[in-house]
Amino acid sequence: TFPEAVGGAAPQGPTPQLSPTGGTTFYMYKTEAPVVYTAIPPEKLRPGTQGELRAEVDTQVCTPRTCTPLRLPASARVIAAPAAGKADPAVAAAVDALPGSPEGWRFEAADYDGEIVIGMYPAAGANPDPGPIYFFDANTESFVDSQKPQSVENDGEARWLRLPRMPGPSRVGEKLAGVIRAENGWLENGSGPGDYRLELPIINEGAGKPPGLQRAVEQRAGVLLIFAFLGGLLLNIMPCVFPVIGLKIMGFAKQAHKERRAVFLHGLAY
């Protein structure tokens, strides 16, 4: 505690690993994972002022069969310096291990068709083959179902990551927060960070879709119509349908010489 209020940003940590335990998928760290908290002192804090930063960490310790929730206290005594000093090597390494800010790609999110869809658009310097992509949800009240698989669709250079929503009438928030990982890195030649921290506004279905997602939906609808047409043609040559076509044509030819009223009544009865 300090004699004057100290603000700070939300704690951040490195990207976790996926770990299925007891039939449940967890985000976890298998080795030491430093958590970075940036404290912002008030402008009027006098040099030499001493104080203590305190925190509680809600976490879980897992074995191959089960996980145990823990609440761990943490504290650190600090002294206000007259000027910024050189960062401790351990602190500098922890900051370098954090997910980076997006570069080389543009991201957008939408709540569409019962899923959260992340649109990914490459720009100059982007890796044309980022490899498998996964999103680690970090929303306080999660609406992304981490127990179901995520899927990626390619649309030329753009990609769509589909995140299944939690079952039931779960409310989707206004923002999607988390970390998105590309196995081969986001930038060409595998340079730059492979993990980006995202905080995207979510466009819901009623408010319209982002332009990129709108194009994807329109293209998908066109592809579905083409396959529906091809499926109809295929159906006509199936053994249970093709012989009937000839019989139907013969029936039309036979009825061509009957009275118009009789043909109309047969059609009406059918």
Side-chain angles (χ1 to χ4, degrees), residues 216-232:
V217 172
E218 292 173 352
Q219 292 172 358
R220 186 171 64 174
V223 171
L224 291 177
L225 288 175
I226 292 173
F227 276 104
F229 177 74
L230 294 177

Side-chain angles (χ1 to χ4, degrees), residues 110-111 114-118 143-144 161-163 165 172 176 202:
D111 176 15
E115 297 175 310
I116 304 298
V117 182
I118 300 178
F143 44 83
V144 176
L161 179 61
R162 299 185 175 276
L163 311 176
R165 285 177 51 179
V172 174
L176 180 68
I202 296 178

Side-chain angles (χ1 to χ4, degrees), residues 109-129:
D111 176 15
Y112 175 72
D113 199 20
E115 297 175 310
I116 304 298
V117 182
I118 300 178
M120 300 165 280
Y121 313 96
N127 188 352
D129 181 22

